[in-house]
Amino acid sequence: MFNLEMSEATWSGLLALRQGTGEAVAGDLAYRLYGPIAGAPGRFVLAQVGQSLDGRVATPAGDARDISGEDGLAHLHRCRALVDAVIVGVGTVIADDPSLSVRMVKGLSPVRVIVDCHATLKGSESLFHDGGAPVIVFRSASASGAEIPHAEIVNLEPKAGGLDPRDMLDALAARNLHRVLVEGGARTIARFIDARLVDRLHVAISPIIIGSGPIGISLPPIEKLAGAHRPATDVYNLGSDILFDCVFRSSEASAGQGEEIAVANQA
């Protein structure tokens, strides 16, 4: 396990690397963890989950506040600051009303992207009115819904099971948004994983036991453990939380897993 320490100078260097004006520092643990995100030369997809010891991300009633400790939250905000866009499903917006900002760290907030296949959002949600980073809403081309203020609506042709994660990434790339954080919910993250589009998966675990409630990743069931994802993984002690940094794109063990799957309206 690596003990991660983040100085102001190191974080400034990572932000410079993200802007293309800095270089990675060999042997520095912070660059080992964050350098692949900040220095990605093209498309890069990071999925992030913050959960309890028993794998829950909220109570059955939907209370997700304080699942992650302060250091786990700081890590999440660093990840946001190093990407161009952050994706969440409509279920996450309805349940949590998130701002998706980087308020805990220095840096720019990413473009906020919501997967709303069936046009469920009403337009009254906070992130459409907070004056923060731009918002993009992905909808099915066949859906009709309320007008959304202060947001770009992008209509995508649905596939058999909903919106295709590849089409979302292509639409973001067309807007010069190449480094992407998939932050939730469980089904949205799972579908990017099963579409083999995730380069890294970060699972931050805090020392809390909830006992029941939704899980962080909802993959299709497998019959035998031989079919499980087994990515190469580094483990970091963040302080309040323990982080598993899982390499997916270059992991031969996980290369044969999953199947093409689309993102439906709930996430």
Side-chain angles (χ1 to χ4, degrees):
M1 182 184 298
F2 302 113
N3 292 316
L4 183 71
E5 296 182 1
M6 180 66 72
S7 68
E8 185 175 344
T10 298
W11 180 239
S12 294
L14 284 163
L15 289 177
L17 180 62
R18 183 236 186 279
Q19 296 296 331
T21 59
E23 296 182 358
V25 178
D28 189 303
L29 289 178
Y31 280 87
R32 180 185 178 103
L33 176 59
Y34 297 110
I37 310 168
R43 177 176 292 179
F44 187 93
V45 178
L46 167 68
Q48 152 77 26
V49 177
Q51 63 183 45
S52 65
L53 283 172
D54 54 342
R56 309 295 177 174
V57 295
T59 67
D63 182 8
R65 293 184 63 86
D66 302 323
I67 286 289
S68 296
E70 183 175 356
D71 297 314
L73 287 174
H75 164 73
L76 174 60
H77 287 213
R78 291 187 198 115
C79 292
R80 290 176 182 170
L82 295 177
V83 299
D84 304 315
V86 54
I87 297 177
V88 295
V90 63
T92 297
V93 174
I94 293 172
D96 300 337
D97 197 20
S99 65
L100 304 175
S101 71
V102 297
R103 62 188 180 279
M104 294 185 70
V105 300
K106 181 174 67 175
L108 298 176
S109 293
V111 172
R112 300 171 290 182
V113 182
I114 307 169
V115 182
D116 184 19
C117 183
H118 295 304
T120 304
L121 296 173
K122 304 300 183 183
S124 57
E125 293 79 9
S126 295
L127 78 173
F128 298 123
H129 305 277
D130 61 8
V135 182
I136 295 173
V137 178
F138 286 133
R139 284 178 174 175
S140 168
S142 61
S144 60
E147 293 187 7
I148 304 295
H150 313 300
E152 178 186 3
I153 306 298
V154 178
N155 294 309
L156 299 176
E157 289 296 330
K159 300 297 173 60
L163 302 184
D164 192 318
R166 293 175 183 82
D167 292 341
M168 297 182 210
L169 294 182
D170 289 343
L172 294 178
R175 291 158 176 80
N176 202 33
L177 305 171
H178 302 284
R179 282 170 286 200
V180 177
L181 169 62
V182 183
E183 193 172 314
R187 292 177 63 190
T188 300
I189 291 174
R191 282 157 177 162
F192 274 83
I193 290 175
D194 262 352
R196 304 177 190 176
L197 296 172
V198 172
D199 295 280
R200 294 287 181 102
L201 169 67
H202 285 182
V203 180
I205 300 177
S206 63
I208 180 175
I209 298 174
I210 300 174
S212 60
I215 60 175
I217 304 174
S218 182
L219 288 162
I222 59 173
E223 183 175 346
K224 296 183 179 180
L225 287 178
H229 293 275
R230 298 181 185 272
T233 302
D234 284 338
V235 184
Y236 293 84
N237 178 7
L238 300 179
S240 65
D241 299 56
I242 301 298
L243 177 72
F244 290 78
D245 175 23
C246 308
V247 181
F248 268 75
R249 186 60 68 95
S250 62
S251 173
E252 293 183 2
S254 65
Q257 306 304 319
E259 58 191 48
E260 293 189 9
I261 188 165
V263 177
N265 62 313
Q266 296 299 319

